[in-house]
Amino acid sequence: MNKNKSLPVIKKAVALRYDQEKEGAPRIIGKGAGHLAEKLIELAREHDIPIHEDSDLLEILSRLDLNEEIPPETYVIVAEILAFVYRTNDSFKP
C-alpha cells in the first residue's frame, strides 16, 4: 500500500435560506456531496448567490435534515456570513 497517495477530496455543499419575516432561523434547503454538491455550487453561481467556504461549519450543517433550522450554536457564524452577504449585495446595488 502506497501511503503517499492521498484520497480524493469529495466536495460537499449546503444551501441555506433565511426569511426574517417567516422563519426564526436559517434553514437547510439543499445539501449534497460529489456531483450534487458541484450542481448546488453551479446553481448558486448562476443565480449570483454568494458562496462561503467554511469546512467546520459545513460538517455541522451537512448533518442536518432538509428544511431543518440551523442549531443555535451556529447562529453567530451564520449571522456573520449573512451580514457579509447583505453588505456585499448593498454595495452592488445601482
Side-chain angles (χ1 to χ4, degrees):
M1 181 176 197
N2 185 348
K3 293 183 181 184
N4 292 331
K5 288 187 178 181
S6 60
L7 296 174
V9 176
I10 298 174
K11 188 171 280 203
K12 292 182 182 179
V14 173
L16 299 176
R17 177 190 70 212
Y18 182 50
D19 184 338
Q20 290 177 303
E21 296 175 11
K22 296 179 182 177
E23 300 169 327
R27 293 184 179 275
I28 306 297
I29 60 166
K31 66 179 190 169
H35 178 70
L36 185 54
E38 291 173 10
K39 188 65 177 172
L40 282 170
I41 293 166
E42 178 184 327
L43 286 170
R45 287 184 175 132
E46 286 176 9
H47 295 280
D48 295 323
I49 297 170
I51 297 170
H52 178 79
E53 294 185 33
D54 184 321
S55 59
D56 294 330
L57 181 60
L58 175 65
E59 285 305 314
I60 293 167
L61 298 180
S62 65
R63 294 182 188 136
L64 302 176
D65 292 327
L66 289 177
N67 206 35
E68 188 174 349
E69 286 187 353
I70 65 169
E73 57 269 17
T74 64
Y75 286 0
V76 172
I77 186 67
V78 171
E80 290 172 0
I81 294 166
L82 290 173
F84 169 77
V85 169
Y86 295 143
R87 283 192 307 271
T88 303
N89 285 344
D90 285 344
S91 68
F92 288 109
K93 287 184 180 175

